[in-house]
Amino acid sequence: INAEYMGNGGLSCMVNRVVPDPDLEEFGVYLNVYDIAKFNRYTHWAGLGAYHSAIEVNGLEYSYGFCYGRTGVCVMAPFAPLGGVFRSQIHLGTALLTRTEFDSVVSQIKLDFPGENYCPVERNCNHFSSEFSSRLLKQRKVPNFVNRLAWLGNVCRCLLPSWIFQKPTPPRSSTTPATTAASHEDENRIMLLPGPESHPGGFEIYRTDDEAKSAPNGGGNV
């Protein structure tokens, strides 16, 4: 409401109505969280664990993983990662954007997250989820527990082996950029902690759909 002094003690009031942009759409933004380590069942209550996360918008799931020669951002159907066991879905908010604005955010974040820059501690799928939700909702609302293990690893990096911070090398047999599915498989393989097949002291990590089905609650919450 704008008020204007008219003299003689009079005021003229004018109401400005905000006309909504007819091109604006509502984009529900959800965080999908997956367990990738079986020890989560013992540590989740303390706010610590190894998790994969992705952002779901309008029925599509956006996540980040390792690959060479292209963006590491993958788009797939929700609840279908290779190796993870679904834990929970968190509604982060609703973004009001035009379709052009949304597509622009997606295009830019694909450029900002190339696959070869993936790092289990410094730049993983949870960092991507936080950044993507921030660009959509203008604020960071990803719960701290999702990436706390990586944060601790970065703080205590002097205690960790140096190879964790090195860029993975592509398979010798591969001469073409990884596919979307392969990118997710690589991410599950190197996410946060190594698996037993790559390091004798590694933690046991969910690997395949069969292992996920054999997890507690039939592959649901752990």
Side-chain angles (χ1 to χ4, degrees):
I1 299 177
N2 293 331
E4 181 181 356
Y5 180 68
M6 300 296 293
N8 298 324
L11 289 175
S12 174
C13 296
M14 179 175 61
V15 177
N16 292 331
R17 294 184 177 179
V18 178
V19 179
D21 188 337
D23 294 329
L24 285 177
E25 299 181 31
E26 292 187 350
F27 293 87
V29 182
Y30 298 85
L31 178 72
N32 293 337
V33 182
Y34 303 85
D35 288 307
I36 59 171
K38 293 183 178 181
F39 66 75
N40 283 8
R41 72 187 72 176
Y42 308 111
T43 61
H44 178 73
W45 65 271
L48 189 66
Y51 304 98
H52 166 72
S53 71
I55 295 295
E56 180 182 343
V57 181
N58 285 6
L60 291 176
E61 192 175 84
Y62 299 79
S63 62
Y64 176 61
F66 164 73
C67 65
Y68 269 91
R70 65 175 184 85
T71 179
V73 178
C74 306
V75 184
M76 62 188 340
F79 316 121
L82 296 178
V85 178
F86 176 70
R87 170 172 284 278
S88 63
Q89 182 180 78
I90 302 170
H91 182 221
L92 300 178
T94 301
L96 289 177
L97 301 169
T98 64
R99 172 59 62 174
T100 299
E101 289 173 334
F102 176 77
D103 291 342
S104 177
V105 171
V106 172
S107 296
Q108 185 59 50
I109 204 166
K110 285 182 176 180
L111 296 176
D112 294 341
F113 279 79
E116 58 265 25
N117 284 359
Y118 179 92
C119 174
V121 175
E122 296 178 320
R123 195 173 182 81
N124 59 39
C125 62
N126 302 316
H127 292 104
F128 166 80
S129 294
S130 180
E131 182 63 27
F132 190 28
S133 64
S134 173
R135 297 187 187 188
L136 292 174
L137 300 172
K138 312 305 180 186
Q139 56 184 324
R140 297 179 186 273
K141 302 181 71 173
V142 173
N144 291 332
F145 81 87
V146 174
N147 211 28
R148 184 168 285 127
L149 188 61
W151 178 82
L152 288 174
N154 198 32
V155 170
C156 305
R157 60 187 303 150
C158 61
L159 303 177
L160 299 176
S162 60
W163 61 261
I164 290 182
F165 300 92
Q166 297 174 355
K167 293 181 180 180
T169 55
R172 295 181 179 179
S173 59
S174 176
T175 57
T176 59
T179 62
T180 298
S183 174
H184 273 274
E185 186 174 9
D186 283 335
E187 180 182 8
N188 284 325
R189 178 173 56 82
I190 63 176
M191 175 86 62
L192 298 177
L193 292 171
E197 74 283 358
S198 61
H199 190 274
F203 291 100
E204 189 174 9
I205 294 179
Y206 292 121
R207 294 287 172 205
T208 65
D209 291 338
D210 290 338
E211 287 179 319
K213 292 176 183 178
S214 64
N217 300 327
N221 295 350
V222 176

